[in-house]
Amino acid sequence: MIEMKQVFKKYPGGSKALQGLNVSIAQGEFVYVVGPSGAGKSTFIKMLYAEERASAGKVLVNQVDVTKLSARKVPFLRRQLGVVFQDYKLLPKKSVYENVAYALEVIEKDQKFIKQRVTEVLKLVGLATKAKRFPHELSGGEQQRVAIARAIVNQPKIVIADEPTGNLDPTTTWEVMKVLEAINAQGTTVIMATHNREVVDGMRHRVVRIEKGRIVSDRAGGDYDGY
Amino acid sequence: MIEMKQVFKKYPGGSKALQGLNVSIAQGEFVYVVGPSGAGKSTFIKMLYAEERASAGKVLVNQVDVTKLSARKVPFLRRQLGVVFQDYKLLPKKSVYENVAYALEVIEKDQKFIKQRVTEVLKLVGLATKAKRFPHELSGGEQQRVAIARAIVNQPKIVIADEPTGNLDPTTTWEVMKVLEAINAQGTTVIMATHNREVVDGMRHRVVRIEKGRIVSDRAGGDYDGY
Amino acid sequence: MMAIKTWIRHLRDSFISIWRNRWMSLASVGAVTVTLLLVGVFVALILNVNKIASDFEKDVEVKVLIDTTMKETKALALAQKVKKLPDVAEVRYSSKEDELQKVIDDFGEDLSLVDQENPLHNVLYVKATEPQKTADVARQIDALKGTSEVLYGKGKIDKFFQMVDTTRTIGLVFIVALVLMAVFLISNTIKLTIAARQHEIEIMKLVGATNNYVRVPFMLEGMWLGLFGAVLPIIAVAAGYMSLYERLSPIVQNEVFSFLEPTNFLLRLSVILLAMGVVIGIFGSAMSIRKYLAVK
Amino acid sequence: MMAIKTWIRHLRDSFISIWRNRWMSLASVGAVTVTLLLVGVFVALILNVNKIASDFEKDVEVKVLIDTTMKETKALALAQKVKKLPDVAEVRYSSKEDELQKVIDDFGEDLSLVDQENPLHNVLYVKATEPQKTADVARQIDALKGTSEVLYGKGKIDKFFQMVDTTRTIGLVFIVALVLMAVFLISNTIKLTIAARQHEIEIMKLVGATNNYVRVPFMLEGMWLGLFGAVLPIIAVAAGYMSLYERLSPIVQNEVFSFLEPTNFLLRLSVILLAMGVVIGIFGSAMSIRKYLAVK
Ligand SMILES: Nc1ncnc2c1ncn2[C@@H]1O[C@H](COP(=O)(O)OP(=O)(O)OP(=O)(O)O)[C@@H](O)[C@H]1O
Ligand SMILES: Nc1ncnc2c1ncn2[C@@H]1O[C@H](COP(=O)(O)OP(=O)(O)OP(=O)(O)O)[C@@H](O)[C@H]1O
Ligand SMILES: [Mg+2]
Ligand SMILES: [Mg+2]
């Protein structure tokens, strides 16, 4: 389903974020990506939806090599994925509702369906009453939950979340994790970069640890520190 | 030092973020502010440096009522505080070095002093090698540490940090906490909104819990859940 | 190609976006308005100057002095003959008495006191179909019997034609330059408003929008900005021109020139201004957005 | 008030900012360039048209027909007398032979064949110090002995003066309108570039910068944008005007009008363009930034 082979990424500035990363993730898996700040977790994730292109190596998503994907086809790759960005990336001039709806509008869903589905997802993340707010009128955690809602709204086969609980209190974190568990139980692949030891240790799944651009440990049902 | 009396905050949209908040923090204290997402922690903090003005009540910082402070005097209030914003608020067109230096430039420090002090602080947060990078060329946790460096660079009497470790791994979190402990030991007041149970429980200080815009518990040396 | 519901969405988004960015929208519309006003006013001015220059040019005529020996009836026959020559547009006969009156008008009454026979010729004034053919016509007439002299100010007229031509060329250069400047200013403004929204465009692409899906609402927005920006200039230029035309036309009605007739002229000018606003709005948006659409 | 090191910092920041926002800076400079070019070219044009109109106006003269009985020497004495009248600037004597030659030039040789005494008058051509005093002067001369008739085209001249005045007024209106438009377009562009950086301004304020500390680099930046934007128009207008002046002046050197002499005129125009760029740049920035400086 997802496979990376000897992936290197060197940013224009010169920093080597990925240095020969190999990993393979099957459909339906739930994978935590952990590691120190600046280890390359976000870069690894950005490879998958082509926000950044690999300097060398192969990145296969659903049998397609993302590194060779033409610019025209990138949007169609992204529609198969739901991404929670580390910095949320909400559209500042669109309301909460519109932000979430946008992901369905680009795939030309019907207005009626959009309305129903967006309302449903907003309820799921506890923001039903804030649909008409604009991002700058929300608390940090609320913004983060909008980003999560947008990522899952079109029921993608793969959900990629970069530090999706950094601004959430333990209770809300737990609710969001239950949502991710639920969609994973329905067969969705979930890849989640996180620093939250409590989550990783409390809800056991495969843990991939990245350090200095390389995978240093990878074990199913492991804990945050790699045991 | 810091005192709030019956503070209410109603945002233009109509949401009531603070509903009669009373608190008093002495010089040199270390206070965690905890509570669920959307409880009003950031709003509480924004009152202190006048990013938002209270709808009613008194906010005293160093004997000055912030709610009545004229626009001209606000910058001088802010110079006495070091603030880590929840969304970092780094200047996108300034390098890491320049972002941190800016807080010293506005108080018209000498170039030589600035250079020495900024270098020192960047080393403290582990970013000495990334001084010339721009914010968008940093990882999430690196950006967060730049924000922390900027907040402490002018050795303010009060440091206010809104969720300063949300994007940091446990190790880096621990290093940052040690920095905050150290400046607190030197007599600086530290007020920190956080969701990190590990931190709150592991490094005991006064814990103020906000829920629905009110303080629901306030105990010295308490743990995250208010015991 | 694109579903109707998608078009409706784009249309809705373009309006919402103009409203939510109303501060910037207003600035853009303002810039378009001022620029098109400039274009409208100067184009109207320049085209009228050109028209007037051409009117003067068309007024150039050949003066044919008829043999003093020729009788008036024969002279009129000659006029008919001249009229039939190729490239001759108009022939006007002026008797020697008329001519004397002119001399008197110009040089004082004392000439009329001269108590002798009128020494002047009967005269034909001839206009060529095109001013540039004046010299040709003069030569042909000179070859006819009964003409004692053919005057048309040789060198002077060439110089005059040259001046009119220069005026016209300069006018056209000005119009082209103005239009180019307008294109630059308007698309530049639109570029700035779009640059300010670069971040939004990137996000749209990151959540799976195709280039077209991102581009269309921006292009529609550019279209509206151009359209709204064209309205005021059109009204102002039309109203201003009509009022000036009505005030100035009576004053110059006995002169050899006249101003461009408003109805037709204003209609065309309005269409041009509107088209400029809309086209530059659409393409300005499309161009400016391109660099932000490139996938990294 | 502000320390020198702070000024140096602001200066440095303004340059750095222009460079880091080079894309927007270029767009702004481009807009300023085009706008000032427009102003420069049209101001040069309009001022020359006004100059030419005035030249024509100054060419208006009174034609005094001297009694045929008066001898030439006496006529010259009369000329001296007229010269001393108030408001008279210039007196030119033209003998009746000269006058006859003119008639012949205008109406064909046949008049010269008239084998009788020249029926024309000796003539004085008189210019008033100011064209508007022509009527006065004419009246005074009429009162003198020895003048048989004083011609100055009464109604016609008034109409001509009126036309010249209208031209001049329209010219001034155009210049004022152009300048206002330029002010709007330039400050509008600067407004857009600053609006795009609203977020930065807010952050600066949040970390303790005073309004002035935030404002000054932006104002300096505006100044540079205006300054850089004025360079090209100044060069283009100066070079263009000088080359046109050199090419056209010989052609019109025998006419009653001439163009504005370049040295002085261009110097002033350049100063004006530069001042416009710089002043609008500075104040445009200062104005646009104001609303983002308001503390919440
Ligand atoms: N656009 C960029 N240009 C240059 N260097 C970059 C860029 N983005 C990231 N980097 C660098 O690449 C390295 C890996 O960054 P990445 O964002 O992948 O880290 P991360 O593991 O997500 O860290 P965090 O937990 O702090 O978010 C870091 O050292 C960072 O400074
Ligand atoms: N600018 C605003 N306009 C309207 N409502 C706002 C605005 N900012 C915050 N709010 C609302 O006020 C409430 C408190 O917000 P605040 O940011 O203080 O929460 P918080 O405790 O910091 O939450 P988090 O932990 O998620 O950051 C929330 O319900 C939020 O939606
Ligand atoms: Mg990251
Ligand atoms: Mg908050």
Side-chain angles (χ1 to χ4, degrees), chain A residues 38 40-43 86 162-163 193 195, chain B residues 139-141 167:
Chain A
K41 301 181 294 300
S42 296
T43 306
Q86 192 169 12
D162 196 351
E163 197 63 60
H195 293 305
Chain B
S139 82
N167 279 296

Side-chain angles (χ1 to χ4, degrees), chain D:
Chain D
M1 182 202 118
M2 224 181 242
I4 289 184
K5 69 163 178 272
T6 310
W7 276 104
I8 293 173
R9 247 165 229 173
H10 287 328
L11 213 57
R12 176 202 67 184
D13 283 355
S14 71
F15 280 119
I16 292 180
S17 174
I18 286 177
W19 175 245
R20 296 210 178 134
N21 296 287
R22 51 192 169 282
W23 180 239
M24 281 219 162
S25 304
L26 206 69
S28 302
V29 170
V32 177
T33 302
V34 165
T35 310
L36 289 183
L37 193 63
L38 216 72
V39 172
V41 169
F42 278 105
V43 165
L45 190 77
I46 291 169
L47 289 184
N48 269 293
V49 167
N50 284 0
K51 164 80 160 59
I52 292 170
S54 296
D55 286 347
F56 273 113
E57 195 180 52
K58 285 203 196 98
D59 198 46
V60 166
E61 47 188 18
V62 178
K63 181 174 181 181
V64 183
L65 304 186
I66 302 174
D67 275 351
T68 38
T69 57
M70 190 183 268
K71 293 232 181 70
E72 188 145 9
T73 46
K74 281 219 166 175
L76 286 168
L78 180 67
Q80 288 308 313
K81 212 163 157 189
V82 169
K83 174 102 207 184
K84 280 179 195 129
L85 289 175
D87 300 327
V88 168
E90 202 185 305
V91 178
R92 191 159 45 78
Y93 176 77
S94 166
S95 69
K96 55 186 170 187
E97 289 75 28
D98 298 339
E99 291 295 296
L100 186 60
Q101 191 55 45
K102 272 203 234 169
V103 177
I104 291 165
D105 288 351
D106 285 10
F107 288 87
E109 264 174 70
D110 44 337
L111 265 184
S112 70
L113 301 175
V114 181
D115 179 36
Q116 64 149 30
E117 219 193 319
N118 180 347
L120 296 169
H121 295 255
N122 293 321
V123 170
L124 291 182
Y125 290 97
V126 181
K127 270 190 197 172
T129 46
E130 284 163 54
Q132 285 75 5
K133 294 207 171 127
T134 308
D136 268 7
V137 168
R139 220 171 308 114
Q140 288 178 54
I141 298 174
D142 211 10
L144 293 179
K145 255 187 276 179
T147 59
S148 87
E149 206 171 340
V150 177
L151 307 165
Y152 76 97
K154 293 166 195 105
K156 255 196 183 172
I157 285 232
D158 287 345
K159 199 170 159 188
F160 174 69
F161 281 164
Q162 200 186 317
M163 256 179 61
V164 170
D165 257 8
T166 312
T167 310
R168 242 190 320 239
T169 312
I170 293 179
L172 287 180
V173 168
F174 264 81
I175 289 182
V176 170
L178 264 173
V179 169
L180 289 181
M181 284 170 171
V183 170
F184 177 82
L185 283 176
I186 296 177
S187 60
N188 199 56
T189 303
I190 287 180
K191 187 191 290 174
L192 287 176
T193 61
I194 285 189
R197 291 163 65 190
Q198 163 179 10
H199 188 56
E200 283 177 60
I201 295 169
E202 283 168 10
I203 296 175
M204 290 170 173
K205 288 235 51 195
L206 283 177
V207 298
T210 57
N211 285 354
N212 258 341
Y213 197 91
V214 176
R215 197 188 282 127
V216 173
F218 278 95
M219 285 170 73
L220 289 175
E221 209 179 315
M223 184 186 78
W224 297 124
L225 297 181
L227 193 84
F228 298 154
V231 172
L232 231 72
I234 288 176
I235 294 175
V237 169
Y241 190 77
M242 285 202 287
S243 106
L244 271 180
Y245 184 82
E246 265 163 37
R247 231 177 309 157
L248 293 182
S249 283
I251 298 181
V252 301
Q253 73 183 345
N254 296 319
E255 308 285 339
V256 297
F257 67 92
S258 65
F259 300 110
L260 287 166
E261 194 275 322
T263 330
N264 232 315
F265 169 62
L266 286 180
L267 194 72
R268 278 184 214 178
L269 190 59
S270 301
V271 170
I272 291 173
L273 292 182
L274 194 70
M276 275 181 71
V278 170
V279 171
I280 307 173
I282 295 177
F283 285 93
S285 288
M287 300 300 240
S288 317
I289 210 175
R290 225 171 31 179
K291 59 188 279 249
Y292 303 118
L293 284 177
V295 215
K296 272 185 279 196

